[in-house]
Amino acid sequence: MKISPTLILSLSIFFIRFHNTMSSNWERVRLRVETKEGLDPVTNNTVSADVRTISAHILDTTLGQAAANVNITIYRLEGENQWEKLNKARTNQDGRVSQLVSGVQYKAGIYKLHFDVGPYHAERGVKSFYPFIEIVVQCEQDQHYHIPLLLNPFGYTTYRGT
């Protein structure tokens, strides 16, 4: 039996797309299990207090790995130029903080994430232009916000992740 190159190409494309879709879905399942999102029963149309609201992830692009043990402090704007400190957390070995604000504390508003990156660079003997990085974001109700920080000693970038 002879198999045509077109069939092989079509099957290859199908399996690549299938694998990427499954990998993405499994990553979402892993995150839900890790944070217990959606695992608690929902009653009276309320969301469990354990649902992720704002999470963060730091990747050191110079080393190509996660930035572990970095302190992140989160604030919410209350009134004119008045920031209320809500929480302080430290990134895990994977460079992640899965929930910076509890579901009870969370409400729509403007949030500021203060990434204390100076000690991270100093611990590695690396001179850095940034002693800390602050990212300010607008958050709505009933949404999850994942804020990755791609970091190197002389630059950074961020975006809204999933």
Side-chain angles (χ1 to χ4, degrees):
M1 178 178 175
K2 188 173 183 179
I3 300 174
S4 75
T6 306
L7 178 60
I8 293 172
L9 180 62
S10 296
L11 287 172
S12 298
I13 291 170
F14 168 78
F15 283 114
I16 289 169
R17 287 183 180 161
F18 178 76
H19 178 265
N20 288 342
T21 301
M22 291 304 294
S23 294
S24 176
N25 288 339
W26 280 113
E27 176 64 11
R28 286 190 174 111
V29 168
R30 184 190 67 76
L31 282 172
R32 284 178 181 246
V33 169
E34 178 183 302
T35 62
K36 298 180 177 68
E37 177 183 0
L39 299 179
D40 292 336
V42 176
T43 58
N44 299 331
N45 293 328
T46 60
V47 178
S48 164
D50 200 27
V51 171
R52 291 179 304 142
T53 54
I54 301 175
S55 60
H57 189 189
I58 307 175
L59 296 170
D60 185 330
T61 58
T62 304
L63 300 174
Q65 65 186 28
N69 301 315
V70 176
N71 287 322
I72 303 173
T73 307
I74 187 162
Y75 302 85
R76 183 175 48 234
L77 186 61
E78 300 288 345
E80 194 170 314
N81 291 326
Q82 186 177 350
W83 293 99
E84 177 187 354
K85 181 179 175 181
L86 301 175
N87 190 23
K88 183 176 184 178
R90 183 179 289 258
T91 58
N92 63 16
Q93 289 306 110
D94 196 27
R96 297 177 184 271
V97 174
S98 61
Q99 186 166 334
L100 283 163
V101 179
S102 72
V104 173
Q105 285 182 302
Y106 182 78
K107 64 182 181 180
I110 298 174
Y111 289 82
K112 174 171 64 175
L113 284 75
H114 176 97
F115 295 84
D116 193 15
V117 297
Y120 170 80
H121 288 300
E123 184 178 293
R124 283 151 189 74
V126 175
K127 290 186 88 172
S128 174
F129 185 63
Y130 302 102
F132 61 87
I133 296 168
E134 291 187 330
I135 300 171
V136 178
V137 295
Q138 173 78 47
C139 297
E140 302 300 326
Q141 199 63 35
D142 301 323
Q143 294 281 316
H144 170 68
Y145 294 90
H146 181 66
I147 302 159
L149 174 64
L150 305 179
L151 174 68
N152 71 63
F154 298 99
Y156 68 91
T157 189
T158 187
Y159 57 95
R160 181 178 177 184
T162 57

